[in-house]
């Protein structure tokens, strides 16, 4: 009985940093793996042939061995399979999310794997024994190892595809170039010798008295470095010493000179990063040296520029421990839990005992922040826990350099850093035995990637946590409706002084005080600065305090309108009005960037007048400057970021800005936060608009870590429930819980899963027809009217020259949503189709 043949190893699925799916590659020649089976080393980086070159990919699974086409082989495995670059459980979570979202896996990997796509290595090649490669090119590899850079990548790939190329890869450590002094014995002899003028005994028998004087001085004090130095010291002219030299009284000779002082200094203080650093350091200690002179010394052989291993880059320093780890852990146990309310510091204090307990057990914790401001506060509040628990806190985000990210990755991979606080890049970090993933401000739209995979990171975090068997915690100012059903804790709301200006119900008779103007009419409340807001701003000025005004938009106004015919200039590429920017005197589209000068007259009726509507930061800043003459006024928006250092140093002033303000630290003496028109956050065609508005109010109320500035809200919807819970000082769960109940009745998340299908074309009819064809295909596949909403034009009917149509899929769970999305793979559509699972924006 013959033994059964060993089955061929299954091909590997490899994802590259491109918007393409994972592709199958053969197992590298000679690779067996730790168990000898050649099984796919999940999470390891590999070099694969791609369009004639070698690119780095990540092994994400096993392919189908029944494929009918010949596979290219992966070339080399860069990582130890026992220590993969990305944990296998994380790989499974990311690939599962990409499959459900119906997007190419390369998109999500490109978005979330922030380091590791570029690896420095030496690449040597040779022909396999006995192979004649002359048929490929006149200059081809031989049987001797040669640097691959000597050959064209396409040539090497052609030889590689025929199996005639041996390759060797050696990783290169990160290096830096420094200037260091040579050992004295290694300095060229010519550099150690100098030419001097020396007296010649018995020479120059026929010298003049002056020449004799010069030679006598040289005999006693010499040698001299130059003729001019000899003449000056001997008290004669240059002509006298020249004549003495020519008469044989002196001669040029080569002697060994002492090392230059600059070399001695570098020998004691080097190596240094540059010639400039050498010159500056030596000059500071009394050794005159310029960068040019330093370079000349190096050229003469006194110093070398050499590559040395680069020291580890500096990383963010953990903050001091700010919480009491001995307090009882008040958070629920289980796979899902939440913590909301209070201020950020209070929440971190409640969270700290849980993190400390897990770190003490030797497990790892990941804290995911949506933006730079939240990341900064989390680092200040939580990073000190790690040191108290015998480990290290590291930060991982796109704000770090590539070298910093690589070093941080190594610390996490080695188990030295077990508390990781970062952005989406941290989700793929090689954590050792992760026990908890904390998502901060889980409802924030900043978690949504606006391009590429368009992933909503809390969804991805949930998949990764489930694969690792880790808990998922949601922590923030207010819970998302999706996390309301989770068990959790709600902290008492911070003290809030809230005042609402109700534009929809003006008082019958305004109260006239000493600060009121006589031009105020009955029922006139003032806009964009209400009378109440104006009075408080004057008090801020009188008391030398600080105020922040939140504007609904940047620019001067939302639009310009002709007062005669109501015509509004629109963008040529988008179906939106052009925004007016007074500083540049231009109309600008905030969707595509198109801009034009302000028309002299209305295109419709010829009127020369324009009326601005919808105040922006420029308009409001002008109004504040008129109201508070001489008081410092600052702006902070995408167009202009004033230096807020005087405010941060405690000086009085007012800053007007967009939501970009929340990415900065609050001024220390903040007395007022004004929301100039709160309805902007509500008048959006999005079922999450009111939840977003409520969360904004909560964040403004807790923005200052210690003070409770007045929060003044100007609105036409003073009775909106999201605002009323704030007025009534109810806790952070009150409004999201009501919102969750309403969504249950309407069949929206968390009681359904949503996906937006966007169909776009440059012809509106073509986009509409393709969208209708797709809807018909979904219904033909069994989708109900409740599961498919639309198609309908986008709220912006034309955007950047194309016409978007939207369909919304609403399914009971992920499995059903996946069934509906698979219909998209059944045919080729006549327009561009893009899927966005869990969309965040207009419906």
């Amino acid at each position: 009985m013959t033994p059964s043949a060993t089955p061929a190893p299954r091909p590997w699925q490899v994802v590259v940093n491109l918007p393409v799916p994972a592709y199958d590659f053969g197992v590298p020649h000679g690779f067996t793996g730790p168990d000898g089976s050649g099984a796919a080393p999940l999470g390891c980086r590999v070099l694969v042939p791609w369009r004639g070159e070698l690119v780095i990919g990540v092994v994400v699974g096993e392919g189908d061995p029944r494929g009918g086409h010949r596979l290219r082989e992966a070339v080399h495995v860069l990582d130890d399979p026992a220590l993969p670059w990305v944990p296998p459980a994380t790989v499974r979570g990311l690939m599962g999310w990409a499959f459900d979202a119906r997007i190419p896996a390369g998109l999500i990997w490109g978005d979330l794997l922030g380091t590791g796509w570029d690896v420095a290595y030496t690449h040597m090649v040779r022909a396999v024994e006995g192979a004649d490669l002359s048929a490929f090119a006149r200059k081809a590899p031989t049987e001797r190892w040669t640097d691959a850079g000597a050959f064209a990548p396409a040539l090497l790939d052609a030889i590689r595809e025929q199996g005639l190329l041996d390759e060797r890869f050696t990783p290169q450590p990160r290096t830096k170039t420094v200037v260091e002094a040579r050992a004295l014995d290694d300095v060229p002899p010519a550099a150690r010798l100098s030419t001097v003028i020396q007296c010649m005994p018995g020479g120059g028998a026929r010298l003049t008295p002056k020449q004799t004087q010069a030679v006598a001085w040289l005999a006693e004090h010499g040698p001299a470095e130059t003729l001019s130095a000899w003449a000056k010291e001997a008290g004669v002219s240059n002509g006298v010493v020249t004549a003495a030299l020519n008469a044989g009284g002196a001669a040029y000779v080569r002697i060994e000179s002492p090392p230059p002082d600059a070399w001695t200094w570098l020998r004691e203080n080097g190596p240094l990063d540059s010639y400039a650093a050498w010159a500056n350091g030596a000059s500071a200690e009394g050794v005159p040296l310029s960068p040019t002179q330093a370079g000349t010394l190096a050229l003469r052989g006194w110093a070398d520029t050499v590559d040395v291993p680069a020291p580890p880059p500096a990383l963010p320093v953990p903050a001091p421990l700010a919480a009491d780890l001995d307090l009882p852990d008040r958070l629920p146990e289980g796979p899902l839990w939440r913590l909301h309310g209070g201020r950020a510091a209070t929440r971190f204090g409640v969270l700290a005992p849980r993190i400390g307990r897990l770190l003490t057990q030797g497990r790892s914790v990941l804290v995911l922040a949506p933006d730079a401001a939240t990341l900064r506060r989390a680092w200040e509040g939580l990073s000190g826990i790690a040191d108290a628990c015998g480990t290290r806190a590291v930060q991982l985000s796109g704000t770090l350099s590539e070298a910093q990210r690589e070093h941080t990755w190594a610390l996490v991979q080695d188990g030295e850093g077990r508390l990781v606080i970062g952005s989406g890049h941290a989700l793929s970090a090689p954590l050792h035995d992760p026990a908890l993933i904390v998502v901060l401000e889980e409802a924030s739209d900043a978690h949504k990637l606006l391009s590429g995979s368009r992933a909503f990171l809390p969804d991805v975090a949930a998949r990764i946590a489930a694969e690792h068997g880790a808990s998922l915690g949601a922590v923030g100012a207010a819970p998302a409706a999706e996390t309301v059903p989770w068990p959790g804790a709600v902290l008492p709301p911070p003290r809030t002084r809230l005042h609402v200006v109700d534009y929809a119900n003006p008082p019958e008779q305004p109260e006239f005080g000493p600060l009121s103007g006589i031009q105020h009419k009955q029922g006139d409340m003032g806009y964009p600065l209400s009378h109440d807001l104006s009075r408080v701003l004057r008090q801020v000025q009188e008391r030398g305090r600080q105020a922040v005004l939140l504007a609904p938009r940047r620019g001067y106004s939302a639009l310009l309108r002709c007062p005669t015919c109501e015509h509004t200039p629109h963008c040529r590429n988008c179906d939106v009005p052009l925004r007016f920017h007074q500083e540049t005197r231009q109309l600008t589209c905030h969707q595509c960037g198109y801009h034009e000068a302000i028309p002299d007259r209305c295109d419709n009726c010829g009127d020369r007048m324009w009326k601005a509507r919808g105040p922006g930061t420029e308009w409001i800043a002008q109004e504040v400057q008129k109201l508070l003459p001489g008081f410092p006024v600052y702006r902070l928006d995408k167009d202009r970021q004033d230096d807020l250092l005087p405010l941060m140093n405690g000086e009085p002033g007012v800053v007007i800005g967009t939501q970009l303000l929340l990415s900065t630290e609050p001024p220390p003496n903040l007395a007022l936060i004004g929301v100039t028109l709160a309805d902007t956050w509500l008048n959006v065609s999005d079922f999450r608009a009111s939840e977003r508005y409520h969360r904004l109010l909560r964040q403004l109320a807790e923005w200052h870590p210690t003070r409770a500035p007045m929060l003044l809200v100007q609105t036409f919807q003073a009775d909106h429930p999201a605002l009323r819970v704030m007025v009534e000082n109810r806790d952070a769960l009150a409004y999201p819980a009501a919102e969750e109940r309403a969504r249950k009745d309407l069949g929206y998340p968390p009681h359904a899963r949503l996906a937006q299908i966007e169909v776009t074309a440059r012809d509106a009819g073509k986009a509409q027809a393709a969208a209708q064809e797709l809807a018909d295909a979904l219904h033909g596949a069994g989708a109900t009217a409740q599961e498919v909403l639309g198609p309908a034009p986008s709220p912006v009917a034309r955007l950047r020259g194309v016409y978007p149509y939207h369909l919304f899929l609403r399914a009971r769970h992920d499995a059903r949503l996946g069934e509906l999305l698979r219909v998209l793979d059944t045919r080729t559509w006549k327009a561009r189709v893009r899927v966005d699972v869990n969309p965040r924006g207009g419906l």
Side-chain angles (χ1 to χ4, degrees):
M1 182 175 180
T2 60
S4 59
T6 302
R10 296 172 65 93
W12 298 352
Q13 278 198 325
V14 178
V15 65
V16 296
N17 188 15
L18 291 170
V20 294
Y23 286 110
D24 287 357
F25 287 87
V27 178
H29 180 70
F31 179 86
T32 58
D35 59 359
S37 68
L42 282 188
C44 286
R45 295 168 301 167
V46 293
L47 290 170
V48 295
W50 187 270
R51 296 183 178 178
E53 296 185 348
L54 290 179
V55 300
I56 293 176
V58 178
V59 180
V60 295
E62 291 187 336
D64 186 355
R66 299 170 298 175
H69 58 282
R70 180 171 176 268
L71 297 177
R72 294 295 304 273
E73 287 184 354
V75 177
H76 180 69
V77 180
L78 292 168
D79 300 308
D80 181 353
L83 198 64
W85 191 251
V86 180
T90 301
V91 173
R92 291 191 292 270
L94 288 177
M95 293 303 293
W97 183 90
F99 178 80
D100 288 345
R102 316 304 296 176
I103 64 165
L107 283 175
I108 186 65
W109 280 93
D111 285 338
L112 297 189
L113 185 57
T115 188
W117 296 112
D118 294 310
V119 177
Y121 55 82
T122 57
H123 182 193
M124 307 295 288
V125 296
R126 70 179 181 185
V128 300
E129 184 177 357
D132 180 8
L133 304 183
S134 59
F136 287 92
R138 293 178 61 185
K139 182 183 178 182
T142 65
E143 292 187 11
R144 297 182 61 183
W145 286 109
T146 308
D147 192 293
F151 308 101
L155 170 64
L156 295 179
D157 192 56
I159 300 172
R160 181 186 299 119
E161 190 170 11
Q162 299 304 317
L164 301 176
L165 190 68
D166 281 339
E167 300 181 79
R168 186 171 67 195
F169 299 89
T170 306
Q172 284 184 332
R174 189 177 291 274
T175 61
K176 62 180 291 188
T177 302
V178 298
V179 180
E180 68 176 10
R182 282 187 178 181
L184 191 58
D185 292 342
D186 295 334
V187 177
R192 300 203 303 269
L193 298 177
S194 60
T195 302
V196 297
I197 304 169
Q198 187 171 295
C199 175
M200 301 301 293
R206 293 178 293 178
L207 299 177
T208 67
K210 286 286 189 180
Q211 293 169 356
T212 302
Q213 174 187 339
V215 171
W217 182 92
L218 188 62
E220 182 179 355
H221 302 285
E225 293 184 357
T226 63
L227 287 171
S228 58
W230 178 17
K232 182 178 179 181
E233 296 297 332
V236 297
S237 68
N238 285 350
V240 171
V241 296
T242 302
L245 179 70
N246 294 335
Y252 284 107
V253 296
R254 299 276 286 173
I255 64 171
E256 185 168 347
S257 59
D261 291 341
W263 174 87
T264 304
W265 186 92
L266 181 62
R267 189 78 175 167
E268 296 173 353
N269 298 278
L272 298 173
D273 290 341
S274 63
Y275 293 141
W278 181 11
N280 293 337
S283 299
E285 296 188 16
V287 181
L289 185 68
S290 69
T292 302
Q293 291 171 329
T296 302
L297 286 174
L299 287 174
R300 291 176 56 196
W302 289 99
D304 281 321
T305 54
V306 295
D307 288 336
V308 299
L315 297 179
V317 178
L321 181 62
D324 186 354
L325 301 183
D326 294 328
L327 291 174
D329 185 353
R330 299 161 48 190
L331 297 173
E333 301 289 346
L336 301 172
W337 52 262
R338 56 175 169 77
L339 169 65
H340 295 90
R343 295 185 184 274
T346 310
R347 293 192 294 272
F348 294 152
V350 175
L351 180 60
R354 171 64 57 88
I355 294 178
R357 174 166 62 87
L358 297 173
L359 294 179
T360 303
Q361 294 171 358
R363 307 192 69 184
S364 298
V365 175
L366 169 63
V367 179
L368 179 66
D371 51 56
T374 308
L375 175 58
R376 183 175 61 249
R377 295 176 191 124
W379 184 256
E380 293 171 355
L382 298 174
S383 60
I385 300 173
D387 184 62
C389 298
T391 183
R392 179 170 179 174
V394 294
Q395 194 177 121
L396 193 56
S397 71
T399 60
L400 303 179
S401 67
E402 177 65 21
Q404 288 175 312
R405 289 197 296 271
E406 283 185 9
H407 182 48
T408 300
W409 204 269
L411 292 175
V412 177
Q413 195 171 42
D414 294 342
E416 185 176 341
R418 289 189 285 107
L419 175 57
V420 179
I421 303 174
S423 64
H425 287 165
L427 282 173
S428 54
L431 290 164
H432 279 231
D433 191 16
L436 171 64
I437 298 179
V438 177
V439 180
L440 300 178
E441 305 296 345
E442 77 277 9
S444 172
D445 291 335
H447 279 300
K448 183 72 172 179
L449 302 182
L450 300 181
S451 59
S453 64
R454 302 171 70 89
F456 186 59
L457 296 183
D459 290 347
V460 181
R463 295 296 290 263
I464 294 174
E467 288 290 343
H468 280 283
S471 297
L472 182 69
V475 178
E482 288 83 349
T483 58
V484 166
W486 298 5
V490 180
L491 304 177
R495 185 173 68 91
T496 305
R497 297 186 299 141
L498 179 62
H499 179 76
V500 179
V501 175
D502 185 1
Y503 278 127
N505 297 289
E508 295 183 2
Q509 177 62 49
E511 297 180 5
F512 292 98
L515 299 179
S516 301
I518 59 172
Q519 74 277 10
H520 294 166
K521 301 176 182 178
Q522 184 173 355
D524 177 19
M525 301 183 67
Y527 186 76
L529 305 181
S530 66
H531 303 329
D532 289 356
L533 179 55
S534 297
R535 281 194 289 268
V536 180
L537 283 171
R538 289 193 184 99
Q539 293 174 0
V540 168
Q541 181 185 33
E542 291 169 358
R543 299 175 184 178
R545 304 290 286 281
Q546 299 169 329
V548 164
L549 300 184
L550 189 64
R553 62 187 62 84
R554 60 190 172 97
Y556 187 83
S557 64
L559 52 87
L560 290 182
R561 179 170 291 167
C562 174
T564 302
C565 68
E566 299 290 311
H567 170 69
T568 299
H570 274 60
C571 176
R572 293 181 180 179
N573 306 317
C574 310
D575 190 20
V576 294
L578 292 170
R579 310 279 191 181
F580 174 39
H581 290 251
Q582 190 176 64
E583 285 190 348
T584 59
R585 303 298 298 172
Q586 289 200 330
L587 299 175
T588 302
C589 176
H590 287 186
Q591 299 294 330
C592 71
Y594 169 79
H595 56 85
E596 63 181 39
I598 302 174
D600 293 333
R601 57 180 69 235
C602 176
D603 293 339
N604 194 38
C605 70
D607 196 323
R608 290 181 177 271
M609 295 292 293
W610 292 105
K611 190 170 184 179
R613 297 290 180 87
T617 51
E618 293 180 25
W619 185 342
I620 295 171
Q622 284 189 8
E623 294 294 320
V624 173
Q625 287 168 340
K626 287 188 288 186
L627 178 71
L628 309 175
F631 199 58
V633 176
Y634 305 87
R635 264 182 51 204
L636 190 69
D637 55 36
K638 185 178 179 180
D639 299 326
R640 178 170 147 186
Q641 294 93 41
D642 290 339
D643 183 8
L644 302 183
L645 185 59
L647 275 182
M648 297 306 172
N649 289 334
E651 297 181 16
V654 180
V655 56
I656 295 96
T658 57
Q659 275 188 261
L660 186 63
L661 281 167
L662 291 177
S663 67
T664 67
E665 292 297 322
N669 295 325
L670 187 62
L672 169 67
I673 302 174
V675 183
T676 55
L677 187 60
D679 306 78
T680 306
W681 283 267
L682 291 171
N683 298 336
V684 180
S685 56
D686 182 1
F687 71 92
R688 291 189 176 94
S690 59
E691 178 189 31
R692 190 178 296 117
Y693 171 52
H694 174 255
R695 188 172 62 256
L696 171 67
L697 295 176
R698 293 284 181 186
Q699 290 173 331
L700 290 174
E702 67 162 46
W703 185 32
H704 198 289
T706 57
R707 301 175 64 94
M710 174 180 285
L711 177 59
L712 192 149
V713 180
Q714 299 181 160
T715 179
F716 286 90
Q717 303 179 56
D719 290 331
H720 194 283
L723 179 59
R724 293 307 307 170
V725 296
M726 298 286 293
V727 174
E728 296 166 4
N729 198 33
R730 300 178 66 186
D731 65 35
L733 185 62
Y735 180 75
E739 181 75 4
E740 185 268 337
R741 291 191 294 270
R743 291 189 193 177
K744 183 177 182 180
D745 296 337
L746 297 173
Y748 277 97
H751 304 284
R753 290 289 289 163
L754 290 185
Q756 173 185 276
I757 303 176
E758 184 179 73
V759 182
T760 58
R762 293 199 171 274
D763 179 77
K766 184 178 179 180
Q768 183 181 21
Q772 187 59 54
E773 182 183 4
L774 200 156
D776 293 342
L778 286 165
H779 288 300
T784 66
Q786 288 73 32
E787 291 178 321
V788 180
L789 309 179
S794 166
V796 179
R798 184 168 56 104
L799 191 63
R800 299 179 181 89
V802 301
Y803 293 86
Y805 273 73
H806 289 166
L807 293 95
F808 276 85
L809 304 184
R810 183 170 57 182
R812 298 182 302 277
H813 44 69
D814 285 332
R816 177 55 179 165
L817 185 63
E819 293 174 3
L820 296 176
L821 288 174
R822 277 192 281 277
V823 174
L824 273 66
D825 301 331
T826 59
R827 69 181 77 174
T828 301
W829 308 100
K830 298 177 181 178
R832 182 185 179 187
V833 176
R834 186 168 62 178
V835 176
D836 184 4
V837 174
N838 197 358
R840 317 285 293 189
L843 296 187

